[in-house]
Amino acid sequence: MRQMSTYDLMESFRNANQWFGASALSFASYPLFSMLPNPAFQWMSAWGQVTERTFERMVAKPDWGIRTFTCEDGRDHLVNIETVVSRPFGDLIHFNVSGRAEQPRKVLLVAPMSGHYATLLRSTVKSLIVNCEVYVTDWHNARDIPVSEGKFDIEDYTLYLVDFMKELGPEINVIAVCQPAPLALAATAYLAEIEPEAQPRTLTLIGGPVDPDAAATDVTDFGRRVTMGQLEELMIQRVGFLYKGVGRQVYPGLLQLASFISMNSERHAKAFTDQILRVAQGDASDNDPHNRFYDEYLSVMDMTAEFYLSTVERIFKGLEIAQNRFTVNGHHVDIGKITDVAVKTVEGGKDDISAPGQCVAALDLCTGLPDSMKASYLEPEAGHYGIFAGRSWRNNIRPLVLDFIDANAGRHQATKPANRNTAAG
C-alpha cells in the first residue's frame, strides 16, 4: 500500500499543478481585467497557460500526427496506421501509405522503451516513409496493463522482437534506436540459431549501450554506483487505483521525467522561463518550437519494474550482452551465430547517453560475420537525439543507412512463410 500511496501522491501533485495553472489562466483572463493596464495579469495568464499545458502533457499519449504524404505522383495520399501484431505490452504497427505501390525497402524501426512513447521517433518515421515501408514497435504504458497479463522483462522484450521479425520475414531491415540496440542484436542472434530463415536482411544499431563499459557517461556511472536494492526501494512503485494496471510494480514515468530534467535542470528552467515571456508578449503559438519539443518530451510512460531492473542488472551491471553471456528462457544467445545479417552501427560524437564506443562494440561480438558485412559510422557533431531525429540524421545518417540497406538487398532469396495472420494478445 505504501508504494501505491506514493504513486497516487505523485499523480495528485501533477494534477494539482495542472489545476493551479488552469486556475491562474482563468482568473487572469477575466474580461474585466483587460481594462486594467497591469502587466501582472499578463504574466499570471502566461504562467497559467504554460503550467497547465506542461502538467497536462505528462499523462497524455502523443498522436503520431502523420496523416498524409505527398508521393512522386504529386498527390497527397492518406497514411493509415495499421496494427500488424497486437500484444499486451506492445504492438507492431505499419504506416501504410494508401494508393502507393509497395516499396521494396521494408524497415522495422525498434523504438526504445526508456520512458517515452514510440512517437519520439515521429520525425524518423516521416523521413523513412518517403521510400520505405515502415513498421514500428509501439510499446504500451505499463500503468494500463492489468497485472493478470504477467511480467515483462528484457527476455520477454527480446522474444517480442523475435516474433515481430518472424512476422515480417527475411526481407525486413531492422533499425534499433538507443535502448533496444543490445536486445535487437540478441534477438537477431536468437533467430540465427533457432530459425535462420527468419533472420532480417540487415541490422542497424543507433546509439545503443551494447557495451556500457566501453565509454563512461552519467547513465553508466549511475548504474555502477547504486545497488539493485537501492534501485528497487527508490524507483519502484505500484500503480495506483486510477489505472487498469492497479497494483503492477513499475518505474513511474513521472519519476523518470524528474530524472531526465535533473540532468539538464538549468537549461529546462530557462526554456520554460523564456516560454512564459513569449506567451506574455504574444509571441508564442500552439505549435511553436518549445511546444513541439516539450509536448513530446514531457509525455512519459511507466516501465514495468522487471524490465527496468533487469536492464540495469543484466545489461549495465552484468554486461551480459557485452560479454556474450545473455540467455533467454535458459538458452544462451550466442551473438557469434550471426553469419548472414549485415550489421551497421551509428554513433554520435557528442552523445552523452550512449557515448561513442558503446554501440560499435557490437561488431566485435559478431565473430561469425565477415568484415565485408560490417559497417560503422560516427557523426562527429551529433548528440544523442540528433543521430536518429535531428539534422544529422536527415542530412548524413539516413542516406548512409539506406545505402547500407540497398547494398545488401540481393543477399536473401528466402520468402516469407505463408501464414501472415495477426497474432492476438
Side-chain angles (χ1 to χ4, degrees):
M1 288 298 294
R2 177 179 63 85
Q3 290 180 328
M4 294 177 70
S5 297
T6 305
Y7 188 97
D8 283 339
L9 182 63
M10 286 197 309
E11 173 60 22
S12 297
F13 177 80
R14 183 211 62 79
N15 196 47
N17 277 279
Q18 181 181 339
W19 179 84
F20 284 138
S23 298
L25 174 60
S26 178
F27 177 80
S29 300
Y30 189 67
L32 180 63
F33 293 151
S34 63
M35 300 174 59
L36 306 175
N38 190 335
F41 292 114
Q42 290 178 296
W43 280 96
M44 182 183 292
S45 175
W47 178 87
Q49 179 178 323
V50 173
T51 300
E52 179 188 18
R53 185 178 186 130
T54 296
F55 285 92
E56 180 184 28
R57 297 305 304 174
M58 294 179 185
V59 291
K61 181 179 180 179
D63 188 80
W64 281 98
I66 306 175
R67 296 177 177 83
T68 62
F69 174 71
T70 305
C71 296
E72 292 182 355
D73 60 8
R75 296 165 53 198
D76 282 348
H77 294 249
L78 291 176
V79 178
N80 301 311
I81 302 177
E82 303 171 348
T83 300
V84 180
V85 179
S86 178
R87 294 288 177 83
F89 292 91
D91 298 337
L92 175 64
I93 60 175
H94 176 214
F95 289 82
N96 182 22
V97 181
S98 63
R100 183 182 73 170
E102 184 175 356
Q103 299 299 292
R105 296 192 193 102
K106 291 178 63 177
V107 171
L108 169 58
L109 193 59
V110 184
M113 183 188 283
S114 54
H116 288 99
Y117 291 93
T119 51
L120 187 68
L121 302 182
R122 182 185 296 103
S123 61
T124 317
V125 172
K126 285 182 178 180
S127 70
L128 289 172
I129 62 172
V130 173
N131 46 23
C132 300
E133 294 295 331
V134 180
Y135 299 80
V136 179
T137 58
D138 188 21
W139 304 112
H140 298 165
N141 194 329
R143 74 182 183 205
D144 299 322
I145 306 171
V147 175
S148 58
E149 296 292 353
K151 70 174 183 65
F152 188 78
D153 59 14
I154 58 174
E155 292 189 19
D156 299 306
Y157 186 108
T158 303
L159 291 175
Y160 265 50
L161 296 186
V162 167
D163 289 344
F164 291 163
M165 292 180 194
K166 289 167 64 175
E167 173 67 25
L168 296 176
E171 67 272 21
I172 198 68
N173 300 278
V174 178
I175 301 176
V177 177
C178 188
Q179 167 268 321
L183 300 182
L185 183 65
T188 303
Y190 187 90
L191 277 175
E193 186 174 1
I194 303 300
E195 197 170 338
E197 67 275 9
Q199 295 177 89
R201 180 176 294 161
T202 66
L203 174 63
T204 301
L205 308 176
I206 299 179
V210 175
D211 182 4
D213 269 10
T217 65
D218 288 343
V219 175
T220 58
D221 288 345
F222 175 78
R224 287 295 185 188
R225 287 196 310 270
V226 298
T227 67
M228 295 307 300
Q230 288 173 325
L231 280 180
E232 190 166 359
E233 178 66 22
L234 297 174
M235 303 299 186
I236 303 306
Q237 298 172 9
R238 290 187 184 273
V239 176
F241 293 96
L242 183 63
Y243 301 104
K244 292 181 180 179
V246 55
R248 177 179 290 280
Q249 286 193 310
V250 297
Y251 177 24
L254 293 179
L255 203 55
Q256 297 173 65
L257 181 60
S259 299
F260 298 154
I261 292 178
S262 67
M263 293 176 65
N264 294 286
S265 56
E266 292 184 4
R267 181 168 64 85
H268 291 301
K270 185 177 186 306
F272 280 95
T273 301
D274 291 346
Q275 181 68 0
I276 292 172
L277 176 61
R278 283 191 291 267
V279 172
Q281 295 175 338
D283 296 331
S285 66
D286 187 62
N287 200 35
D288 61 27
H290 176 94
N291 286 331
R292 285 202 308 271
F293 175 79
Y294 279 102
D295 280 357
E296 190 70 50
Y297 187 82
L298 296 170
S299 297
V300 287
M301 56 186 285
D302 295 353
M303 206 185 300
T304 64
E306 56 270 19
F307 179 82
Y308 172 68
L309 294 174
S310 60
T311 297
V312 175
E313 183 175 21
R314 301 179 63 179
I315 303 298
F316 285 88
K317 286 181 176 290
L319 300 175
E320 291 187 20
I321 297 290
Q323 297 175 3
N324 199 19
R325 296 185 292 104
F326 188 62
T327 59
V328 174
N329 289 342
H331 175 80
H332 174 233
V333 179
D334 184 2
I335 298 173
K337 296 293 186 181
I338 300 176
T339 60
D340 196 34
V341 179
V343 179
K344 183 182 182 71
T345 63
V346 177
E347 296 178 318
K350 295 184 177 179
D351 190 341
D352 58 355
I353 304 296
S354 294
Q358 292 188 17
C359 193
V360 74
L363 300 183
D364 290 335
L365 293 172
C366 297
T367 55
L369 198 63
D371 289 342
S372 61
M373 296 177 65
K374 300 179 183 179
S376 63
Y377 177 70
L378 175 68
E379 180 72 9
E381 298 301 314
H384 187 70
Y385 188 79
I387 56 177
F388 63 86
R391 181 173 55 194
S392 295
W393 161 260
R394 295 191 302 271
N395 296 341
N396 301 329
I397 298 171
R398 175 185 172 276
L400 291 175
V401 170
L402 295 183
D403 287 346
F404 176 73
I405 289 173
D406 293 342
N408 292 278
R411 292 186 306 98
H412 282 316
Q413 300 300 324
T415 58
K416 169 74 176 166
N419 183 12
R420 291 187 56 87
N421 291 335
T422 298

